[in-house]
Amino acid sequence: MLTLVTSNPAKYAPFARDLERLRIVLERPRQPMAELQSRSFSEALAEKARAAASMFGRPVLVDDAGLALEAYAGFPGPLTSTVLGSLGVAGLQRLLSGSSNRAVMECHLGCWVSQSLRSWAGMVPGHIDFTRPVRDERMLLSDLFVPDTSAENGRLLHRARALAALGADAFSLHLETAPDARCGETSSTGRPNYECAFCAELENDGLSIFSSMMGNRLASRVVYEDEDFVVMPPLGEFMEGGLLLLTRQHILSLAHLRPAAFDRLERLLAVISEAVRLRWGVAPLVFEHGPAPEWSKGVCCVDHAHLNIFPAAIQVQPHLSERMSVPLGSLAELARLQRAEFGYLFVQENDGTRRVYDGQNVPTQLVRRIIATQLGMPERWHWRDYPGQDELLATYHALKGRLRL
């Protein structure tokens, strides 16, 4: 979890849902915090974030808000509470007499990470209206500042926009500030796990779920294998062309893959994608549900690293847009996700774009559900309800011997 340090948690009460989604908790400072008296939000925020990180012994979020008057080149900015507390309504009116009453309300969030400030800002333009009644001098800004927007929450919009800006980077920030030691021994050793359905099948013990389901119809479903990876159609094959690309060794997720194997994984995935595109006419969707070491993906999934590959022409991102996420360039970047507190969802869309989503409270086989529903076959997402043996056989015979790295 990320901690937002604020002496007035009540001001974030309207944003409880956003804070929960971003996994941010509010906490008061453990002692009074001296604030740098500067006209620069970045300078004041950096000092506050650095002090808060020292106080809590880890990076935490801090905030600063204020009014930037057009007539005075952004003054008072971070000094707003001090200046307006001294001026009052009458003094502010004298200050702006004969000048522009335009202003910008600003909210800045910051975090001191790796000896530098990360910051996010929300700004709302508007004007000061002295004809409005002031209920409380302490609420002077709320009463006198009129945002240009007609939005219902206009007076809170600067804070909402700052949180929205943070939201775009929140998952990355969680990863950057997470403790280093995230994975346990069982997730990284690579030893076979004889309770794992995939390990049992690859060890060919004759007692695998695949053997019990397929009987004499197919002795092995493997269409490609090398020293690192195995490719085979899944059980519950709800459409032809579906594949699993799994690690030969038992590791929890591809985030724990040995670094030297990522290049081979990239090349193998490219070969598979081209073969699927040529055979079924669609560049496939690719996804992985990588659990956190202390969490299980659930009884319907196997905690053995594997990519799911389906030639389905749909977009997954709109169904995951509420989750924190970060774009991904290379598959090697998955190694960062060892530190994902609640695991992750990796998705490569049909156009090749890649994104990793926060895995908090992910229902089992969520992406399979999305695909099956969008294809008009929602009853097929669960492999026990729809074994898909015919589709599995068709996929096996279409690709066996045709994948070459």
Side-chain angles (χ1 to χ4, degrees):
M1 300 290 282
L2 291 172
T3 298
L4 172 55
V5 179
T6 174
S7 58
N8 182 16
K11 64 188 177 184
Y12 283 98
F15 306 104
R17 183 176 178 275
D18 298 291
L19 295 177
E20 181 180 5
R21 180 177 65 85
L22 300 176
R23 298 210 309 278
I24 296 174
V25 296
L26 303 177
E27 191 167 339
R28 295 180 183 274
R30 296 171 179 174
Q31 59 197 49
M33 294 177 59
E35 298 192 15
L36 180 67
Q37 298 301 296
S38 169
R39 289 187 57 184
S40 164
F41 271 113
S42 61
E43 289 181 0
L45 197 67
E47 181 60 28
K48 182 184 287 190
R50 190 164 39 230
S54 177
M55 180 184 298
F56 283 81
R58 55 187 167 83
V60 293
L61 291 162
V62 296
D63 70 343
D64 205 349
L67 189 71
L69 297 169
E70 182 180 80
Y72 291 91
F75 178 82
L79 303 174
T80 295
S81 59
T82 301
V83 171
L84 295 189
S86 300
L87 288 177
V89 178
L92 180 61
Q93 192 164 14
R94 288 194 300 271
L95 184 68
L96 293 180
S97 178
S99 301
S100 169
N101 68 345
R102 296 290 300 168
V104 175
M105 187 75 85
E106 301 186 19
C107 176
H108 296 258
L109 296 168
C111 187
W112 191 254
V113 183
S114 301
Q115 301 303 308
S116 64
L117 177 69
R118 296 280 303 280
S119 63
W120 304 266
M123 303 180 185
V124 180
H127 66 278
I128 304 298
D129 183 356
F130 291 105
T131 67
R132 298 170 64 88
V134 175
R135 298 162 294 175
D136 186 334
E137 286 280 346
R138 292 171 300 179
M139 302 295 291
L140 187 152
L141 281 183
S142 297
D143 289 333
L144 296 185
F145 179 76
V146 181
D148 291 343
T149 177
S150 58
E152 184 177 348
N153 67 339
R155 287 179 175 77
L156 300 174
L157 196 55
H158 62 306
R159 206 171 299 283
R161 287 178 174 173
L163 283 172
L166 169 62
D169 294 328
F171 196 19
S172 291
L173 188 61
H174 274 284
L175 297 176
E176 289 177 50
T177 58
D180 287 332
R182 296 299 306 164
C183 54
E185 183 182 351
T186 57
S187 66
S188 57
T189 61
R191 295 191 297 266
N193 180 338
Y194 294 103
E195 296 180 355
C196 167
F198 288 157
C199 286
E201 184 174 346
L202 295 180
E203 291 293 310
N204 194 27
D205 63 2
L207 301 175
S208 69
I209 296 175
F210 168 75
S211 297
S212 64
M213 287 187 63
M214 295 299 293
N216 296 325
R217 298 191 72 186
L218 190 64
S220 169
R221 55 175 164 158
V222 173
V223 297
Y224 172 88
E225 58 184 327
D226 59 33
E227 62 267 32
D228 290 312
F229 304 107
V230 176
V231 180
M232 58 191 188
L235 299 175
E237 180 80 291
F238 57 81
M239 63 182 300
E240 281 190 29
L243 292 168
L244 299 175
L245 193 172
L246 56 141
T247 56
R248 180 169 291 281
Q249 292 186 318
H250 185 89
I251 56 175
L252 190 64
S253 71
L254 289 173
H256 298 277
L257 186 67
R258 61 184 183 88
F262 276 111
D263 179 64
R264 177 183 287 270
L265 178 61
E266 287 277 15
R267 290 186 286 116
L268 179 56
L269 182 58
V271 167
I272 294 170
S273 297
E274 180 63 10
V276 169
R277 186 191 66 80
L278 290 174
R279 176 61 178 81
W280 285 280
V282 178
L285 285 168
V286 182
F287 60 95
E288 181 201 12
H289 182 183
E294 63 270 40
W295 295 90
S296 170
K297 288 184 290 189
V299 296
C300 295
C301 295
V302 181
D303 288 339
H304 179 130
H306 63 281
L307 290 175
N308 297 267
I309 303 169
F310 286 96
I314 68 165
Q315 279 192 306
V316 175
Q317 189 277 334
H319 302 275
L320 303 176
S321 59
E322 287 297 307
R323 293 183 175 273
M324 291 187 292
S325 67
V326 61
L328 198 73
S330 68
L331 293 174
E333 294 175 40
L334 286 171
R336 294 178 61 203
L337 279 300
Q338 290 183 26
R339 302 170 70 180
E341 183 180 4
F342 288 91
Y344 65 90
L345 280 176
F346 162 69
V347 178
Q348 178 177 303
E349 301 279 1
N350 299 124
D351 63 1
T353 57
R354 293 167 170 172
R355 186 163 286 271
V356 178
Y357 300 86
D358 178 25
Q360 184 178 25
N361 298 326
V362 172
T364 185
Q365 300 191 67
L366 172 61
V367 181
R368 278 180 59 105
R369 296 189 199 199
I370 293 170
I371 297 172
T373 299
Q374 293 301 303
L375 292 178
M377 51 183 77
E379 72 285 355
R380 293 189 178 188
W381 72 267
H382 197 302
W383 66 274
R384 289 195 185 277
D385 293 333
Y386 190 84
Q389 294 184 14
D390 292 339
E391 290 85 351
L392 185 156
L393 286 168
T395 302
Y396 172 84
H397 290 302
L399 295 179
K400 179 63 175 177
R402 291 176 172 79
L403 301 179
R404 296 181 178 86
L405 194 58

